[in-house]
Amino acid sequence: MQRFSAKSTFQNIPISLLRRCISSTSQTAMAASDEFLGRLPPFEYIPPPYTGPSADVILNQRKEFLSSYTSCLYKKPLNIVDGKMQYLFDESGRRYLDAFAGIAVVNCGHCHPHVVKPVIDQIKRLQHPTTLYLNHAIADFSEALASKLPGDLKVVFFTNSGTEANELALMMAKLYTGYQDIVSIRNGYHGNAAGTMGATGQSMWKFNVVQTGTHHALNPDPYRGVFGSDGEKYARELHDLIQYGTTGHIAGFVFEAIQGVGGIVELAPGYLSAAYDIVKKAGGLFIADEVQSGFARTGDFWGFEAHNVVPDIVTMAKGIGNGFPLGAVVTTPEIARVLTRRCYFNTFGGNAVATTAGLAVLNVIEKDKLQENASMVGSYLKGRLDQLKEKHEIIGDVRGRGLMLGVELVSDRKLKTPATAETLHIMDQMKELGVLVGKGGFFGNVFRITPPLCFTKDDADYLVEAMDYSVSKM
């Protein structure tokens, strides 16, 4: 049998002709890119000229002075130097539609003027007074934040990140109940410190350190889960896990209403309401991790609202500060009292600048009607993505709510074989067309679409067109 050989095939072709062919292909790709960029929705903002170091210089600095864990998206990393609302700009001034929002962080939009101004005013006046003195910034934001939560959830503890918030919540659950076992869900992500790493349900995020006292329930994943969309069956497995894997009593059950890092996985209908009763009978607290789904992203203000449950503790970060390092734990006065048994203190938690940003975020969400927009545009975008699924066999699933959407790619729909390499290729192609999306899921084959909540229907149309084109070129 004759084998294909690139060398033998091309050795008789003149080099000049090969160069012209390669040049023609490159020019065709550039022309397609230029054509798409010309269809980007109009936007008035033009960034000032960039005079800083180039992408290559920054990349070399990162390689020399930062750990290799600070990896970059894309084969050719982007040097992002400017941003405005739902758009980002690279060093050349090229505009990109941001459908990732700094990993579901910039809910109000990049450099929203009504977030920037109060922060600048505060930082000019006072940066860090410490919570040992009185200052209105932390008090104003605490009151406003508590008003967004149901029931008796009205005591706020501020942290600097989602990991810190979840660590504090897990500790509070153990102190309040007197039990030590925590139950979480497979495929979930809750942070990278000792307790939260134990609660995380993916091996790639778990270092080889002691992680005890955490049990992982089956993931109620409607697409890949063993019971499909039957939430009651997953809940019965949770009951059995507690009965056979613990003393029968647990400190708490922590969950994401929509798993973010895990690939925008919505929990099966009926699961959380059934799980609530099971957890309560086992003496545990119900802990909602709203780090990614909170602050109007799903079309509800909190992800758990779609499941008709009221948690005992709610943790949050990311969208809370629109990019400022800020996290929080909100619980009831009764549960909060456990931290008075010893001294609890967080130096930067509740920093005046960060809490000023947090209050501004709440004001912008209300003033700009971002929750309503997330619901409306998110539903429209999901519908367009469902149409794309009917067109392209590689799209195995479209899921999520509001502007927290996932598109899972598979090379075989029946077997649900993850199309991991294809996902990376399509992401790169979409970037060339001016669209930035995230990537997640255990197999790295899910597009995470979590744009700023000011995203428009025109933006949604452009994203779908770019994805359609990129998938068609596979």
PDB file of all heavy atoms in Angstrom, residues 169-192:
ATOM      1  N   ALA A 169     -17.625  29.652  55.329  1.00  0.00           N
ATOM      2  CA  ALA A 169     -18.936  29.019  55.416  1.00  0.00           C
ATOM      3  C   ALA A 169     -18.833  27.588  55.934  1.00  0.00           C
ATOM      4  O   ALA A 169     -19.642  27.162  56.783  1.00  0.00           O
ATOM      5  CB  ALA A 169     -19.611  29.042  54.044  1.00  0.00           C
ATOM      6  N   LEU A 170     -17.858  26.840  55.440  1.00  0.00           N
ATOM      7  CA  LEU A 170     -17.692  25.452  55.884  1.00  0.00           C
ATOM      8  C   LEU A 170     -17.322  25.395  57.363  1.00  0.00           C
ATOM      9  O   LEU A 170     -17.824  24.536  58.108  1.00  0.00           O
ATOM     10  CB  LEU A 170     -16.628  24.749  55.036  1.00  0.00           C
ATOM     11  CG  LEU A 170     -16.933  24.608  53.535  1.00  0.00           C
ATOM     12  CD1 LEU A 170     -15.787  23.906  52.827  1.00  0.00           C
ATOM     13  CD2 LEU A 170     -18.243  23.860  53.307  1.00  0.00           C
ATOM     14  N   MET A 171     -16.453  26.306  57.789  1.00  0.00           N
ATOM     15  CA  MET A 171     -16.081  26.339  59.200  1.00  0.00           C
ATOM     16  C   MET A 171     -17.284  26.676  60.076  1.00  0.00           C
ATOM     17  O   MET A 171     -17.508  26.065  61.137  1.00  0.00           O
ATOM     18  CB  MET A 171     -14.963  27.348  59.439  1.00  0.00           C
ATOM     19  CG  MET A 171     -14.491  27.392  60.899  1.00  0.00           C
ATOM     20  SD  MET A 171     -13.121  28.528  61.184  1.00  0.00           S
ATOM     21  CE  MET A 171     -13.964  30.120  61.131  1.00  0.00           C
ATOM     22  N   MET A 172     -18.075  27.646  59.654  1.00  0.00           N
ATOM     23  CA  MET A 172     -19.255  28.040  60.421  1.00  0.00           C
ATOM     24  C   MET A 172     -20.248  26.886  60.540  1.00  0.00           C
ATOM     25  O   MET A 172     -20.874  26.682  61.596  1.00  0.00           O
ATOM     26  CB  MET A 172     -19.923  29.257  59.779  1.00  0.00           C
ATOM     27  CG  MET A 172     -19.097  30.524  59.879  1.00  0.00           C
ATOM     28  SD  MET A 172     -19.802  31.890  58.927  1.00  0.00           S
ATOM     29  CE  MET A 172     -21.197  32.323  59.942  1.00  0.00           C
ATOM     30  N   ALA A 173     -20.412  26.120  59.464  1.00  0.00           N
ATOM     31  CA  ALA A 173     -21.330  24.984  59.496  1.00  0.00           C
ATOM     32  C   ALA A 173     -20.875  23.945  60.525  1.00  0.00           C
ATOM     33  O   ALA A 173     -21.699  23.389  61.275  1.00  0.00           O
ATOM     34  CB  ALA A 173     -21.426  24.353  58.111  1.00  0.00           C
ATOM     35  N   LYS A 174     -19.591  23.689  60.564  1.00  0.00           N
ATOM     36  CA  LYS A 174     -19.061  22.707  61.531  1.00  0.00           C
ATOM     37  C   LYS A 174     -19.224  23.215  62.957  1.00  0.00           C
ATOM     38  O   LYS A 174     -19.592  22.456  63.869  1.00  0.00           O
ATOM     39  CB  LYS A 174     -17.595  22.419  61.211  1.00  0.00           C
ATOM     40  CG  LYS A 174     -17.392  21.696  59.889  1.00  0.00           C
ATOM     41  CD  LYS A 174     -15.911  21.517  59.564  1.00  0.00           C
ATOM     42  CE  LYS A 174     -15.728  20.834  58.215  1.00  0.00           C
ATOM     43  NZ  LYS A 174     -14.290  20.647  57.870  1.00  0.00           N
ATOM     44  N   LEU A 175     -18.958  24.495  63.176  1.00  0.00           N
ATOM     45  CA  LEU A 175     -19.082  25.058  64.515  1.00  0.00           C
ATOM     46  C   LEU A 175     -20.535  25.074  64.982  1.00  0.00           C
ATOM     47  O   LEU A 175     -20.840  24.767  66.142  1.00  0.00           O
ATOM     48  CB  LEU A 175     -18.520  26.485  64.532  1.00  0.00           C
ATOM     49  CG  LEU A 175     -17.007  26.626  64.383  1.00  0.00           C
ATOM     50  CD1 LEU A 175     -16.621  28.092  64.206  1.00  0.00           C
ATOM     51  CD2 LEU A 175     -16.280  26.028  65.585  1.00  0.00           C
ATOM     52  N   TYR A 176     -21.428  25.427  64.090  1.00  0.00           N
ATOM     53  CA  TYR A 176     -22.834  25.565  64.473  1.00  0.00           C
ATOM     54  C   TYR A 176     -23.478  24.206  64.768  1.00  0.00           C
ATOM     55  O   TYR A 176     -24.225  24.051  65.736  1.00  0.00           O
ATOM     56  CB  TYR A 176     -23.607  26.281  63.369  1.00  0.00           C
ATOM     57  CG  TYR A 176     -25.074  26.444  63.668  1.00  0.00           C
ATOM     58  CD1 TYR A 176     -25.503  27.421  64.569  1.00  0.00           C
ATOM     59  CD2 TYR A 176     -26.030  25.613  63.077  1.00  0.00           C
ATOM     60  CE1 TYR A 176     -26.855  27.562  64.873  1.00  0.00           C
ATOM     61  CE2 TYR A 176     -27.377  25.750  63.359  1.00  0.00           C
ATOM     62  CZ  TYR A 176     -27.774  26.732  64.265  1.00  0.00           C
ATOM     63  OH  TYR A 176     -29.108  26.863  64.566  1.00  0.00           O
ATOM     64  N   THR A 177     -23.218  23.216  63.908  1.00  0.00           N
ATOM     65  CA  THR A 177     -23.887  21.915  64.060  1.00  0.00           C
ATOM     66  C   THR A 177     -23.179  20.998  65.049  1.00  0.00           C
ATOM     67  O   THR A 177     -23.799  20.094  65.616  1.00  0.00           O
ATOM     68  CB  THR A 177     -23.959  21.182  62.705  1.00  0.00           C
ATOM     69  OG1 THR A 177     -22.625  20.922  62.239  1.00  0.00           O
ATOM     70  CG2 THR A 177     -24.714  22.021  61.675  1.00  0.00           C
ATOM     71  N   GLY A 178     -21.878  21.198  65.212  1.00  0.00           N
ATOM     72  CA  GLY A 178     -21.100  20.281  66.035  1.00  0.00           C
ATOM     73  C   GLY A 178     -20.673  19.031  65.286  1.00  0.00           C
ATOM     74  O   GLY A 178     -20.019  18.150  65.849  1.00  0.00           O
ATOM     75  N   TYR A 179     -21.016  18.944  64.005  1.00  0.00           N
ATOM     76  CA  TYR A 179     -20.616  17.811  63.173  1.00  0.00           C
ATOM     77  C   TYR A 179     -19.472  18.238  62.255  1.00  0.00           C
ATOM     78  O   TYR A 179     -19.224  19.429  62.050  1.00  0.00           O
ATOM     79  CB  TYR A 179     -21.799  17.303  62.345  1.00  0.00           C
ATOM     80  CG  TYR A 179     -23.000  16.933  63.182  1.00  0.00           C
ATOM     81  CD1 TYR A 179     -24.257  17.495  62.928  1.00  0.00           C
ATOM     82  CD2 TYR A 179     -22.883  16.034  64.239  1.00  0.00           C
ATOM     83  CE1 TYR A 179     -25.357  17.174  63.698  1.00  0.00           C
ATOM     84  CE2 TYR A 179     -23.978  15.701  65.024  1.00  0.00           C
ATOM     85  CZ  TYR A 179     -25.217  16.275  64.752  1.00  0.00           C
ATOM     86  OH  TYR A 179     -26.303  15.955  65.525  1.00  0.00           O
ATOM     87  N   GLN A 180     -18.780  17.255  61.685  1.00  0.00           N
ATOM     88  CA  GLN A 180     -17.585  17.558  60.898  1.00  0.00           C
ATOM     89  C   GLN A 180     -17.695  17.208  59.417  1.00  0.00           C
ATOM     90  O   GLN A 180     -16.924  17.701  58.607  1.00  0.00           O
ATOM     91  CB  GLN A 180     -16.372  16.814  61.497  1.00  0.00           C
ATOM     92  CG  GLN A 180     -16.021  17.241  62.911  1.00  0.00           C
ATOM     93  CD  GLN A 180     -15.706  18.723  62.993  1.00  0.00           C
ATOM     94  OE1 GLN A 180     -14.864  19.236  62.252  1.00  0.00           O
ATOM     95  NE2 GLN A 180     -16.385  19.430  63.890  1.00  0.00           N
ATOM     96  N   ASP A 181     -18.621  16.351  59.055  1.00  0.00           N
ATOM     97  CA  ASP A 181     -18.703  15.904  57.665  1.00  0.00           C
ATOM     98  C   ASP A 181     -19.406  16.931  56.777  1.00  0.00           C
ATOM     99  O   ASP A 181     -20.457  17.464  57.133  1.00  0.00           O
ATOM    100  CB  ASP A 181     -19.455  14.579  57.570  1.00  0.00           C
ATOM    101  CG  ASP A 181     -18.636  13.415  58.100  1.00  0.00           C
ATOM    102  OD1 ASP A 181     -17.536  13.195  57.570  1.00  0.00           O
ATOM    103  OD2 ASP A 181     -19.092  12.739  59.048  1.00  0.00           O
ATOM    104  N   ILE A 182     -18.799  17.163  55.616  1.00  0.00           N
ATOM    105  CA  ILE A 182     -19.355  18.045  54.590  1.00  0.00           C
ATOM    106  C   ILE A 182     -19.701  17.205  53.366  1.00  0.00           C
ATOM    107  O   ILE A 182     -18.922  16.333  52.961  1.00  0.00           O
ATOM    108  CB  ILE A 182     -18.354  19.147  54.191  1.00  0.00           C
ATOM    109  CG1 ILE A 182     -18.056  20.065  55.372  1.00  0.00           C
ATOM    110  CG2 ILE A 182     -18.860  19.933  52.982  1.00  0.00           C
ATOM    111  CD1 ILE A 182     -19.215  20.956  55.795  1.00  0.00           C
ATOM    112  N   VAL A 183     -20.853  17.458  52.771  1.00  0.00           N
ATOM    113  CA  VAL A 183     -21.222  16.805  51.519  1.00  0.00           C
ATOM    114  C   VAL A 183     -21.271  17.855  50.419  1.00  0.00           C
ATOM    115  O   VAL A 183     -21.846  18.937  50.600  1.00  0.00           O
ATOM    116  CB  VAL A 183     -22.589  16.102  51.623  1.00  0.00           C
ATOM    117  CG1 VAL A 183     -22.976  15.491  50.268  1.00  0.00           C
ATOM    118  CG2 VAL A 183     -22.546  15.008  52.686  1.00  0.00           C
ATOM    119  N   SER A 184     -20.628  17.553  49.305  1.00  0.00           N
ATOM    120  CA  SER A 184     -20.687  18.419  48.124  1.00  0.00           C
ATOM    121  C   SER A 184     -21.033  17.549  46.921  1.00  0.00           C
ATOM    122  O   SER A 184     -21.332  16.362  47.075  1.00  0.00           O
ATOM    123  CB  SER A 184     -19.364  19.160  47.920  1.00  0.00           C
ATOM    124  OG  SER A 184     -18.308  18.234  47.707  1.00  0.00           O
ATOM    125  N   ILE A 185     -20.995  18.120  45.751  1.00  0.00           N
ATOM    126  CA  ILE A 185     -21.419  17.410  44.539  1.00  0.00           C
ATOM    127  C   ILE A 185     -20.231  17.209  43.610  1.00  0.00           C
ATOM    128  O   ILE A 185     -19.400  18.098  43.431  1.00  0.00           O
ATOM    129  CB  ILE A 185     -22.524  18.211  43.812  1.00  0.00           C
ATOM    130  CG1 ILE A 185     -23.740  18.382  44.726  1.00  0.00           C
ATOM    131  CG2 ILE A 185     -22.935  17.515  42.521  1.00  0.00           C
ATOM    132  CD1 ILE A 185     -24.829  19.263  44.124  1.00  0.00           C
ATOM    133  N   ARG A 186     -20.154  16.028  43.037  1.00  0.00           N
ATOM    134  CA  ARG A 186     -19.104  15.761  42.047  1.00  0.00           C
ATOM    135  C   ARG A 186     -19.176  16.792  40.916  1.00  0.00           C
ATOM    136  O   ARG A 186     -20.252  17.224  40.524  1.00  0.00           O
ATOM    137  CB  ARG A 186     -19.259  14.354  41.465  1.00  0.00           C
ATOM    138  CG  ARG A 186     -19.062  13.230  42.472  1.00  0.00           C
ATOM    139  CD  ARG A 186     -19.197  11.877  41.805  1.00  0.00           C
ATOM    140  NE  ARG A 186     -19.254  10.795  42.791  1.00  0.00           N
ATOM    141  CZ  ARG A 186     -19.376   9.503  42.489  1.00  0.00           C
ATOM    142  NH1 ARG A 186     -19.464   9.139  41.212  1.00  0.00           N
ATOM    143  NH2 ARG A 186     -19.414   8.597  43.437  1.00  0.00           N
ATOM    144  N   ASN A 187     -18.023  17.143  40.408  1.00  0.00           N
ATOM    145  CA  ASN A 187     -17.881  18.090  39.295  1.00  0.00           C
ATOM    146  C   ASN A 187     -17.981  19.554  39.742  1.00  0.00           C
ATOM    147  O   ASN A 187     -17.761  20.458  38.953  1.00  0.00           O
ATOM    148  CB  ASN A 187     -18.906  17.832  38.192  1.00  0.00           C
ATOM    149  CG  ASN A 187     -18.551  18.502  36.874  1.00  0.00           C
ATOM    150  OD1 ASN A 187     -17.456  18.296  36.355  1.00  0.00           O
ATOM    151  ND2 ASN A 187     -19.435  19.305  36.335  1.00  0.00           N
ATOM    152  N   GLY A 188     -18.294  19.790  41.017  1.00  0.00           N
ATOM    153  CA  GLY A 188     -18.373  21.157  41.508  1.00  0.00           C
ATOM    154  C   GLY A 188     -16.997  21.731  41.789  1.00  0.00           C
ATOM    155  O   GLY A 188     -16.004  21.015  41.913  1.00  0.00           O
ATOM    156  N   TYR A 189     -16.948  23.050  41.894  1.00  0.00           N
ATOM    157  CA  TYR A 189     -15.702  23.745  42.251  1.00  0.00           C
ATOM    158  C   TYR A 189     -16.024  24.780  43.321  1.00  0.00           C
ATOM    159  O   TYR A 189     -16.935  25.596  43.154  1.00  0.00           O
ATOM    160  CB  TYR A 189     -15.076  24.440  41.035  1.00  0.00           C
ATOM    161  CG  TYR A 189     -13.806  25.184  41.397  1.00  0.00           C
ATOM    162  CD1 TYR A 189     -12.581  24.522  41.418  1.00  0.00           C
ATOM    163  CD2 TYR A 189     -13.835  26.523  41.741  1.00  0.00           C
ATOM    164  CE1 TYR A 189     -11.411  25.183  41.772  1.00  0.00           C
ATOM    165  CE2 TYR A 189     -12.673  27.199  42.107  1.00  0.00           C
ATOM    166  CZ  TYR A 189     -11.464  26.519  42.115  1.00  0.00           C
ATOM    167  OH  TYR A 189     -10.327  27.173  42.478  1.00  0.00           O
ATOM    168  N   HIS A 190     -15.229  24.754  44.425  1.00  0.00           N
ATOM    169  CA  HIS A 190     -15.500  25.660  45.538  1.00  0.00           C
ATOM    170  C   HIS A 190     -14.269  26.426  46.026  1.00  0.00           C
ATOM    171  O   HIS A 190     -14.391  27.242  46.938  1.00  0.00           O
ATOM    172  CB  HIS A 190     -16.135  24.885  46.692  1.00  0.00           C
ATOM    173  CG  HIS A 190     -17.412  24.215  46.320  1.00  0.00           C
ATOM    174  ND1 HIS A 190     -18.588  24.910  46.117  1.00  0.00           N
ATOM    175  CD2 HIS A 190     -17.702  22.909  46.062  1.00  0.00           C
ATOM    176  CE1 HIS A 190     -19.545  24.068  45.763  1.00  0.00           C
ATOM    177  NE2 HIS A 190     -19.041  22.853  45.721  1.00  0.00           N
ATOM    178  N   GLY A 191     -13.091  26.174  45.441  1.00  0.00           N
ATOM    179  CA  GLY A 191     -11.917  26.932  45.848  1.00  0.00           C
ATOM    180  C   GLY A 191     -10.681  26.068  45.941  1.00  0.00           C
ATOM    181  O   GLY A 191     -10.712  24.855  45.698  1.00  0.00           O
ATOM    182  N   ASN A 192      -9.561  26.712  46.313  1.00  0.00           N
ATOM    183  CA  ASN A 192      -8.278  25.998  46.291  1.00  0.00           C
ATOM    184  C   ASN A 192      -7.526  26.049  47.615  1.00  0.00           C
ATOM    185  O   ASN A 192      -6.303  25.896  47.650  1.00  0.00           O
ATOM    186  CB  ASN A 192      -7.388  26.544  45.166  1.00  0.00           C
ATOM    187  CG  ASN A 192      -7.160  28.042  45.294  1.00  0.00           C
ATOM    188  OD1 ASN A 192      -7.441  28.642  46.332  1.00  0.00           O
ATOM    189  ND2 ASN A 192      -6.643  28.652  44.238  1.00  0.00           N
TER     190      ASN A 192
END
